mmCIF file of all heavy atoms in Angstrom:
data_model
loop_
_atom_site.group_PDB
_atom_site.id
_atom_site.type_symbol
_atom_site.label_atom_id
_atom_site.label_comp_id
_atom_site.label_asym_id
_atom_site.label_seq_id
_atom_site.Cartn_x
_atom_site.Cartn_y
_atom_site.Cartn_z
ATOM 1 N N SER X 233 111.988 87.182 112.150
ATOM 2 C CA SER X 233 111.378 88.470 111.811
ATOM 3 C C SER X 233 109.884 88.437 112.076
ATOM 4 O O SER X 233 109.263 87.364 112.152
ATOM 5 C CB SER X 233 111.638 88.810 110.342
ATOM 6 O OG SER X 233 113.014 88.958 110.097
ATOM 7 N N SER X 234 109.298 89.610 112.221
ATOM 8 C CA SER X 234 107.865 89.735 112.537
ATOM 9 C C SER X 234 106.998 89.245 111.394
ATOM 10 O O SER X 234 107.456 89.113 110.249
ATOM 11 C CB SER X 234 107.530 91.189 112.846
ATOM 12 O OG SER X 234 107.654 91.970 111.668
ATOM 13 N N LEU X 235 105.717 89.042 111.697
ATOM 14 C CA LEU X 235 104.787 88.588 110.662
ATOM 15 C C LEU X 235 104.647 89.635 109.562
ATOM 16 O O LEU X 235 104.592 89.295 108.375
ATOM 17 C CB LEU X 235 103.397 88.287 111.274
ATOM 18 C CG LEU X 235 103.326 87.233 112.371
ATOM 19 C CD1 LEU X 235 101.872 86.856 112.627
ATOM 20 C CD2 LEU X 235 104.142 86.000 112.032
ATOM 21 N N TRP X 236 104.604 90.927 109.928
ATOM 22 C CA TRP X 236 104.428 91.945 108.895
ATOM 23 C C TRP X 236 105.651 92.051 108.000
ATOM 24 O O TRP X 236 105.526 92.340 106.798
ATOM 25 C CB TRP X 236 104.040 93.303 109.487
ATOM 26 C CG TRP X 236 105.061 94.003 110.334
ATOM 27 C CD1 TRP X 236 105.194 93.970 111.686
ATOM 28 C CD2 TRP X 236 106.116 94.879 109.868
ATOM 29 N NE1 TRP X 236 106.248 94.750 112.095
ATOM 30 C CE2 TRP X 236 106.826 95.329 111.014
ATOM 31 C CE3 TRP X 236 106.510 95.327 108.609
ATOM 32 C CZ2 TRP X 236 107.910 96.197 110.916
ATOM 33 C CZ3 TRP X 236 107.596 96.196 108.508
ATOM 34 C CH2 TRP X 236 108.285 96.624 109.662
ATOM 35 N N GLU X 237 106.826 91.793 108.556
ATOM 36 C CA GLU X 237 108.030 91.788 107.714
ATOM 37 C C GLU X 237 108.018 90.579 106.776
ATOM 38 O O GLU X 237 108.408 90.671 105.609
ATOM 39 C CB GLU X 237 109.281 91.777 108.589
ATOM 40 C CG GLU X 237 109.521 93.103 109.306
ATOM 41 C CD GLU X 237 110.611 93.009 110.361
ATOM 42 O OE1 GLU X 237 110.557 92.101 111.209
ATOM 43 O OE2 GLU X 237 111.505 93.872 110.337
ATOM 44 N N ASN X 238 107.548 89.442 107.283
ATOM 45 C CA ASN X 238 107.451 88.259 106.435
ATOM 46 C C ASN X 238 106.414 88.422 105.337
ATOM 47 O O ASN X 238 106.577 87.903 104.235
ATOM 48 C CB ASN X 238 107.134 87.037 107.295
ATOM 49 C CG ASN X 238 108.372 86.372 107.861
ATOM 50 O OD1 ASN X 238 109.066 85.652 107.156
ATOM 51 N ND2 ASN X 238 108.675 86.657 109.121
ATOM 52 N N ALA X 239 105.336 89.139 105.639
ATOM 53 C CA ALA X 239 104.291 89.351 104.632
ATOM 54 C C ALA X 239 104.794 90.162 103.446
ATOM 55 O O ALA X 239 104.218 90.115 102.345
ATOM 56 C CB ALA X 239 103.088 90.045 105.262
ATOM 57 N N MET X 240 105.871 90.904 103.654
ATOM 58 C CA MET X 240 106.453 91.719 102.580
ATOM 59 C C MET X 240 107.287 90.915 101.601
ATOM 60 O O MET X 240 107.486 91.341 100.461
ATOM 61 C CB MET X 240 107.350 92.812 103.182
ATOM 62 C CG MET X 240 106.634 93.834 104.008
ATOM 63 S SD MET X 240 107.813 94.965 104.813
ATOM 64 C CE MET X 240 108.657 95.659 103.381
ATOM 65 N N LEU X 241 107.785 89.747 102.018
ATOM 66 C CA LEU X 241 108.768 89.019 101.221
ATOM 67 C C LEU X 241 108.246 88.719 99.818
ATOM 68 O O LEU X 241 107.185 88.123 99.649
ATOM 69 C CB LEU X 241 109.138 87.700 101.924
ATOM 70 C CG LEU X 241 109.845 87.825 103.279
ATOM 71 C CD1 LEU X 241 110.102 86.450 103.873
ATOM 72 C CD2 LEU X 241 111.151 88.603 103.126
ATOM 73 N N GLY X 242 108.999 89.144 98.823
ATOM 74 C CA GLY X 242 108.613 88.953 97.433
ATOM 75 C C GLY X 242 107.729 90.050 96.885
ATOM 76 O O GLY X 242 107.503 90.130 95.681
ATOM 77 N N HIS X 243 107.218 90.906 97.780
ATOM 78 C CA HIS X 243 106.311 91.985 97.355
ATOM 79 C C HIS X 243 106.775 93.352 97.869
ATOM 80 O O HIS X 243 106.030 94.320 97.831
ATOM 81 C CB HIS X 243 104.898 91.704 97.856
ATOM 82 C CG HIS X 243 104.389 90.342 97.483
ATOM 83 N ND1 HIS X 243 104.010 90.016 96.204
ATOM 84 C CD2 HIS X 243 104.246 89.214 98.217
ATOM 85 C CE1 HIS X 243 103.629 88.736 96.179
ATOM 86 N NE2 HIS X 243 103.760 88.236 97.387
ATOM 87 N N GLN X 244 108.002 93.400 98.380
ATOM 88 C CA GLN X 244 108.470 94.603 99.072
ATOM 89 C C GLN X 244 108.638 95.816 98.168
ATOM 90 O O GLN X 244 108.732 96.934 98.651
ATOM 91 C CB GLN X 244 109.797 94.316 99.804
ATOM 92 C CG GLN X 244 110.948 93.925 98.902
ATOM 93 C CD GLN X 244 111.040 92.419 98.662
ATOM 94 O OE1 GLN X 244 110.065 91.700 98.850
ATOM 95 N NE2 GLN X 244 112.203 91.968 98.229
ATOM 96 N N THR X 245 108.629 95.597 96.849
ATOM 97 C CA THR X 245 108.774 96.724 95.914
ATOM 98 C C THR X 245 107.423 97.269 95.455
ATOM 99 O O THR X 245 107.376 98.151 94.609
ATOM 100 C CB THR X 245 109.584 96.297 94.681
ATOM 101 O OG1 THR X 245 108.892 95.225 94.022
ATOM 102 C CG2 THR X 245 110.975 95.840 95.079
ATOM 103 N N GLN X 246 106.327 96.734 96.013
ATOM 104 C CA GLN X 246 104.986 97.108 95.539
ATOM 105 C C GLN X 246 104.114 97.547 96.717
ATOM 106 O O GLN X 246 104.338 97.131 97.858
ATOM 107 C CB GLN X 246 104.350 95.905 94.839
ATOM 108 C CG GLN X 246 105.147 95.414 93.623
ATOM 109 C CD GLN X 246 104.721 94.023 93.178
ATOM 110 O OE1 GLN X 246 104.913 93.037 93.881
ATOM 111 N NE2 GLN X 246 104.117 93.952 92.009
ATOM 112 N N PRO X 247 103.109 98.404 96.437
ATOM 113 C CA PRO X 247 102.141 98.775 97.468
ATOM 114 C C PRO X 247 101.410 97.513 97.945
ATOM 115 O O PRO X 247 101.250 96.570 97.158
ATOM 116 C CB PRO X 247 101.181 99.725 96.749
ATOM 117 C CG PRO X 247 101.938 100.198 95.549
ATOM 118 C CD PRO X 247 102.852 99.079 95.160
ATOM 119 N N PRO X 248 100.965 97.445 99.200
ATOM 120 C CA PRO X 248 101.024 98.504 100.219
ATOM 121 C C PRO X 248 102.306 98.502 101.040
ATOM 122 O O PRO X 248 102.376 99.166 102.057
ATOM 123 C CB PRO X 248 99.832 98.140 101.113
ATOM 124 C CG PRO X 248 99.818 96.642 101.076
ATOM 125 C CD PRO X 248 100.237 96.258 99.689
ATOM 126 N N PHE X 249 103.318 97.737 100.591
ATOM 127 C CA PHE X 249 104.535 97.604 101.387
ATOM 128 C C PHE X 249 105.565 98.687 101.081
ATOM 129 O O PHE X 249 106.473 98.930 101.876
ATOM 130 C CB PHE X 249 105.168 96.227 101.134
ATOM 131 C CG PHE X 249 104.236 95.079 101.410
ATOM 132 C CD1 PHE X 249 103.730 94.306 100.373
ATOM 133 C CD2 PHE X 249 103.841 94.784 102.709
ATOM 134 C CE1 PHE X 249 102.866 93.257 100.624
ATOM 135 C CE2 PHE X 249 102.976 93.739 102.975
ATOM 136 C CZ PHE X 249 102.491 92.965 101.917
ATOM 137 N N GLU X 250 105.406 99.343 99.916
ATOM 138 C CA GLU X 250 106.388 100.344 99.483
ATOM 139 C C GLU X 250 105.684 101.682 99.234
ATOM 140 O O GLU X 250 104.567 101.729 98.735
ATOM 141 C CB GLU X 250 107.064 99.855 98.206
ATOM 142 C CG GLU X 250 108.112 100.783 97.637
ATOM 143 C CD GLU X 250 107.556 101.809 96.676
ATOM 144 O OE1 GLU X 250 106.416 101.631 96.181
ATOM 145 O OE2 GLU X 250 108.256 102.814 96.412
ATOM 146 N N LYS X 251 106.355 102.758 99.636
ATOM 147 C CA LYS X 251 105.815 104.103 99.406
ATOM 148 C C LYS X 251 106.990 105.048 99.178
ATOM 149 O O LYS X 251 107.847 105.216 100.044
ATOM 150 C CB LYS X 251 105.007 104.545 100.628
ATOM 151 C CG LYS X 251 104.183 105.793 100.414
ATOM 152 C CD LYS X 251 103.284 106.051 101.630
ATOM 153 C CE LYS X 251 102.376 107.236 101.409
ATOM 154 N NZ LYS X 251 101.502 107.474 102.592
ATOM 155 N N HIS X 252 107.050 105.625 97.959
ATOM 156 C CA HIS X 252 108.119 106.571 97.593
ATOM 157 C C HIS X 252 109.505 105.966 97.796
ATOM 158 O O HIS X 252 110.445 106.646 98.227
ATOM 159 C CB HIS X 252 107.993 107.867 98.394
ATOM 160 C CG HIS X 252 106.650 108.512 98.306
ATOM 161 N ND1 HIS X 252 106.004 108.770 97.117
ATOM 162 C CD2 HIS X 252 105.794 108.937 99.304
ATOM 163 C CE1 HIS X 252 104.822 109.328 97.360
ATOM 164 N NE2 HIS X 252 104.663 109.431 98.676
ATOM 165 N N GLY X 253 109.643 104.667 97.502
ATOM 166 C CA GLY X 253 110.948 104.026 97.581
ATOM 167 C C GLY X 253 111.343 103.532 98.968
ATOM 168 O O GLY X 253 112.447 103.006 99.146
ATOM 169 N N PHE X 254 110.443 103.690 99.932
ATOM 170 C CA PHE X 254 110.739 103.260 101.305
ATOM 171 C C PHE X 254 109.687 102.257 101.772
ATOM 172 O O PHE X 254 108.587 102.171 101.225
ATOM 173 C CB PHE X 254 110.750 104.462 102.267
ATOM 174 C CG PHE X 254 111.853 105.434 101.989
ATOM 175 C CD1 PHE X 254 111.626 106.549 101.187
ATOM 176 C CD2 PHE X 254 113.122 105.242 102.510
ATOM 177 C CE1 PHE X 254 112.635 107.454 100.924
ATOM 178 C CE2 PHE X 254 114.138 106.145 102.251
ATOM 179 C CZ PHE X 254 113.909 107.256 101.461
ATOM 180 N N VAL X 255 110.046 101.492 102.816
ATOM 181 C CA VAL X 255 109.090 100.557 103.412
ATOM 182 C C VAL X 255 107.956 101.326 104.056
ATOM 183 O O VAL X 255 108.183 102.253 104.842
ATOM 184 C CB VAL X 255 109.784 99.670 104.471
ATOM 185 C CG1 VAL X 255 108.761 98.874 105.259
ATOM 186 C CG2 VAL X 255 110.783 98.728 103.806
ATOM 187 N N ASP X 256 106.730 100.978 103.708
ATOM 188 C CA ASP X 256 105.537 101.577 104.319
ATOM 189 C C ASP X 256 105.093 100.651 105.461
ATOM 190 O O ASP X 256 104.325 99.712 105.261
ATOM 191 C CB ASP X 256 104.436 101.734 103.281
ATOM 192 C CG ASP X 256 103.206 102.447 103.830
ATOM 193 O OD1 ASP X 256 103.125 102.651 105.063
ATOM 194 O OD2 ASP X 256 102.309 102.788 103.040
ATOM 195 N N LYS X 257 105.593 100.922 106.659
ATOM 196 C CA LYS X 257 105.356 100.033 107.799
ATOM 197 C C LYS X 257 103.866 99.956 108.134
ATOM 198 O O LYS X 257 103.336 98.868 108.419
ATOM 199 C CB LYS X 257 106.144 100.536 109.008
ATOM 200 C CG LYS X 257 106.146 99.585 110.196
ATOM 201 C CD LYS X 257 107.093 100.082 111.273
ATOM 202 C CE LYS X 257 107.088 99.182 112.498
ATOM 203 N NZ LYS X 257 108.027 99.655 113.540
ATOM 204 N N LYS X 258 103.172 101.094 108.083
ATOM 205 C CA LYS X 258 101.737 101.103 108.381
ATOM 206 C C LYS X 258 100.968 100.273 107.349
ATOM 207 O O LYS X 258 100.087 99.491 107.698
ATOM 208 C CB LYS X 258 101.206 102.534 108.424
ATOM 209 C CG LYS X 258 101.640 103.324 109.656
ATOM 210 C CD LYS X 258 100.979 104.707 109.672
ATOM 211 C CE LYS X 258 101.377 105.480 110.934
ATOM 212 N NZ LYS X 258 100.759 106.844 110.940
ATOM 213 N N GLY X 259 101.317 100.455 106.087
ATOM 214 C CA GLY X 259 100.657 99.688 105.030
ATOM 215 C C GLY X 259 100.926 98.205 105.175
ATOM 216 O O GLY X 259 100.036 97.375 104.972
ATOM 217 N N ALA X 260 102.165 97.866 105.531
ATOM 218 C CA ALA X 260 102.537 96.456 105.713
ATOM 219 C C ALA X 260 101.746 95.841 106.860
ATOM 220 O O ALA X 260 101.276 94.698 106.762
ATOM 221 C CB ALA X 260 104.035 96.346 105.964
ATOM 222 N N LYS X 261 101.606 96.579 107.945
ATOM 223 C CA LYS X 261 100.874 96.034 109.103
ATOM 224 C C LYS X 261 99.383 95.891 108.792
ATOM 225 O O LYS X 261 98.741 94.923 109.224
ATOM 226 C CB LYS X 261 101.088 96.933 110.327
ATOM 227 C CG LYS X 261 102.486 96.791 110.930
ATOM 228 C CD LYS X 261 102.563 97.424 112.303
ATOM 229 C CE LYS X 261 103.876 97.119 112.994
ATOM 230 N NZ LYS X 261 103.911 97.533 114.390
ATOM 231 N N ARG X 262 98.836 96.830 108.019
ATOM 232 C CA ARG X 262 97.418 96.724 107.627
ATOM 233 C C ARG X 262 97.192 95.483 106.780
ATOM 234 O O ARG X 262 96.242 94.735 107.008
ATOM 235 C CB ARG X 262 96.981 97.985 106.873
ATOM 236 C CG ARG X 262 96.624 99.177 107.755
ATOM 237 C CD ARG X 262 95.826 100.217 106.994
ATOM 238 N NE ARG X 262 96.541 100.694 105.810
ATOM 239 C CZ ARG X 262 97.393 101.741 105.810
ATOM 240 N NH1 ARG X 262 97.626 102.391 106.937
ATOM 241 N NH2 ARG X 262 97.986 102.118 104.700
ATOM 242 N N ARG X 263 98.065 95.294 105.770
ATOM 243 C CA ARG X 263 97.908 94.135 104.889
ATOM 244 C C ARG X 263 98.058 92.845 105.696
ATOM 245 O O ARG X 263 97.301 91.881 105.508
ATOM 246 C CB ARG X 263 98.950 94.190 103.770
ATOM 247 C CG ARG X 263 99.075 92.906 102.931
ATOM 248 C CD ARG X 263 97.770 92.491 102.225
ATOM 249 N NE ARG X 263 97.407 93.414 101.192
ATOM 250 C CZ ARG X 263 97.874 93.376 99.940
ATOM 251 N NH1 ARG X 263 98.727 92.449 99.567
ATOM 252 N NH2 ARG X 263 97.466 94.265 99.055
ATOM 253 N N THR X 264 99.034 92.813 106.598
ATOM 254 C CA THR X 264 99.261 91.596 107.393
ATOM 255 C C THR X 264 98.068 91.311 108.287
ATOM 256 O O THR X 264 97.661 90.144 108.451
ATOM 257 C CB THR X 264 100.545 91.728 108.224
ATOM 258 O OG1 THR X 264 101.619 92.139 107.375
ATOM 259 C CG2 THR X 264 100.903 90.399 108.872
ATOM 260 N N THR X 265 97.472 92.347 108.856
ATOM 261 C CA THR X 265 96.261 92.168 109.671
ATOM 262 C C THR X 265 95.140 91.582 108.833
ATOM 263 O O THR X 265 94.400 90.691 109.283
ATOM 264 C CB THR X 265 95.834 93.516 110.285
ATOM 265 O OG1 THR X 265 96.881 94.014 111.123
ATOM 266 C CG2 THR X 265 94.567 93.348 111.125
ATOM 267 N N ASP X 266 95.021 92.052 107.581
ATOM 268 C CA ASP X 266 93.999 91.507 106.668
ATOM 269 C C ASP X 266 94.263 90.020 106.387
ATOM 270 O O ASP X 266 93.330 89.207 106.356
ATOM 271 C CB ASP X 266 93.981 92.285 105.356
ATOM 272 C CG ASP X 266 93.451 93.707 105.516
ATOM 273 O OD1 ASP X 266 92.795 93.976 106.548
ATOM 274 O OD2 ASP X 266 93.706 94.535 104.621
ATOM 275 N N ILE X 267 95.534 89.676 106.179
ATOM 276 C CA ILE X 267 95.895 88.284 105.920
ATOM 277 C C ILE X 267 95.527 87.418 107.136
ATOM 278 O O ILE X 267 94.953 86.337 107.009
ATOM 279 C CB ILE X 267 97.399 88.150 105.608
ATOM 280 C CG1 ILE X 267 97.736 88.836 104.283
ATOM 281 C CG2 ILE X 267 97.826 86.684 105.561
ATOM 282 C CD1 ILE X 267 99.223 88.994 104.022
ATOM 283 N N VAL X 268 95.905 87.894 108.329
ATOM 284 C CA VAL X 268 95.644 87.166 109.568
ATOM 285 C C VAL X 268 94.155 86.898 109.742
ATOM 286 O O VAL X 268 93.728 85.787 110.100
ATOM 287 C CB VAL X 268 96.200 87.942 110.773
ATOM 288 C CG1 VAL X 268 95.650 87.415 112.091
ATOM 289 C CG2 VAL X 268 97.738 87.866 110.784
ATOM 290 N N GLU X 269 93.333 87.908 109.452
ATOM 291 C CA GLU X 269 91.881 87.758 109.618
ATOM 292 C C GLU X 269 91.281 86.850 108.554
ATOM 293 O O GLU X 269 90.487 85.955 108.859
ATOM 294 C CB GLU X 269 91.221 89.141 109.587
ATOM 295 C CG GLU X 269 91.572 89.978 110.818
ATOM 296 C CD GLU X 269 90.997 91.393 110.754
ATOM 297 O OE1 GLU X 269 90.412 91.737 109.698
ATOM 298 O OE2 GLU X 269 91.153 92.145 111.735
ATOM 299 N N ARG X 270 91.651 87.069 107.293
ATOM 300 C CA ARG X 270 91.034 86.300 106.206
ATOM 301 C C ARG X 270 91.445 84.835 106.223
ATOM 302 O O ARG X 270 90.637 83.954 105.931
ATOM 303 C CB ARG X 270 91.399 86.941 104.864
ATOM 304 C CG ARG X 270 90.911 86.150 103.656
ATOM 305 C CD ARG X 270 91.139 86.902 102.371
ATOM 306 N NE ARG X 270 91.149 86.023 101.223
ATOM 307 C CZ ARG X 270 91.413 86.411 99.980
ATOM 308 N NH1 ARG X 270 91.685 87.689 99.736
ATOM 309 N NH2 ARG X 270 91.427 85.546 98.981
ATOM 310 N N PHE X 271 92.697 84.565 106.592
ATOM 311 C CA PHE X 271 93.212 83.198 106.535
ATOM 312 C C PHE X 271 93.315 82.548 107.913
ATOM 313 O O PHE X 271 93.905 81.488 108.050
ATOM 314 C CB PHE X 271 94.568 83.179 105.816
ATOM 315 C CG PHE X 271 94.443 83.420 104.333
ATOM 316 C CD1 PHE X 271 94.383 84.713 103.835
ATOM 317 C CD2 PHE X 271 94.346 82.364 103.448
ATOM 318 C CE1 PHE X 271 94.242 84.948 102.475
ATOM 319 C CE2 PHE X 271 94.195 82.585 102.095
ATOM 320 C CZ PHE X 271 94.144 83.878 101.601
ATOM 321 N N ASP X 272 92.738 83.185 108.909
ATOM 322 C CA ASP X 272 92.651 82.623 110.260
ATOM 323 C C ASP X 272 94.029 82.206 110.775
ATOM 324 O O ASP X 272 94.224 81.077 111.241
ATOM 325 C CB ASP X 272 91.691 81.423 110.276
ATOM 326 C CG ASP X 272 91.392 80.930 111.700
ATOM 327 O OD1 ASP X 272 91.445 81.765 112.627
ATOM 328 O OD2 ASP X 272 91.126 79.731 111.873
ATOM 329 N N VAL X 273 94.990 83.123 110.682
ATOM 330 C CA VAL X 273 96.326 82.873 111.228
ATOM 331 C C VAL X 273 96.264 83.119 112.725
ATOM 332 O O VAL X 273 95.987 84.242 113.166
ATOM 333 C CB VAL X 273 97.380 83.789 110.576
ATOM 334 C CG1 VAL X 273 98.764 83.507 111.149
ATOM 335 C CG2 VAL X 273 97.385 83.609 109.061
ATOM 336 N N ARG X 274 96.478 82.096 113.523
ATOM 337 C CA ARG X 274 96.336 82.201 114.971
ATOM 338 C C ARG X 274 97.587 82.868 115.566
ATOM 339 O O ARG X 274 98.648 82.251 115.642
ATOM 340 C CB ARG X 274 96.146 80.818 115.590
ATOM 341 C CG ARG X 274 95.051 79.984 114.938
ATOM 342 C CD ARG X 274 93.654 80.441 115.288
ATOM 343 N NE ARG X 274 92.646 79.703 114.557
ATOM 344 C CZ ARG X 274 92.144 78.519 114.923
ATOM 345 N NH1 ARG X 274 92.587 77.910 116.011
ATOM 346 N NH2 ARG X 274 91.214 77.929 114.192
ATOM 347 N N THR X 275 97.458 84.110 115.960
ATOM 348 C CA THR X 275 98.591 84.868 116.509
ATOM 349 C C THR X 275 98.069 85.966 117.416
ATOM 350 O O THR X 275 96.987 86.524 117.164
ATOM 351 C CB THR X 275 99.445 85.486 115.379
ATOM 352 O OG1 THR X 275 100.493 86.269 115.938
ATOM 353 C CG2 THR X 275 98.608 86.377 114.468
ATOM 354 N N PRO X 276 98.825 86.334 118.468
ATOM 355 C CA PRO X 276 98.378 87.425 119.327
ATOM 356 C C PRO X 276 98.396 88.769 118.604
ATOM 357 O O PRO X 276 97.539 89.626 118.842
ATOM 358 C CB PRO X 276 99.394 87.431 120.484
ATOM 359 C CG PRO X 276 100.379 86.364 120.218
ATOM 360 C CD PRO X 276 100.012 85.637 118.984
#
């Protein structure tokens, strides 16, 4: 699975991954981008 899907694991029921009971894909990708930048995750 993609990095943004993995970033949701264990937190998928909470913002920024969840919105009105559904997966918030944009929120998940934003959070994952923040993780990648802050923790220097080397990925394209």
Side-chain angles (χ1 to χ4, degrees):
S233 297
S234 67
L235 301 192
W236 66 266
E237 288 169 310
N238 273 282
M240 295 174 59
L241 296 178
H243 307 287
Q244 62 270 20
T245 60
Q246 300 164 293
F249 304 110
E250 181 271 343
K251 191 173 184 180
H252 307 309
F254 295 94
V255 170
D256 184 350
K257 189 173 178 179
K258 287 184 178 179
K261 287 193 172 189
R262 279 197 303 271
R263 169 60 68 84
T264 309
T265 299
D266 291 342
I267 293 169
V268 165
E269 291 176 355
R270 175 173 159 184
F271 288 84
D272 189 29
V273 180
R274 309 286 175 84
T275 177

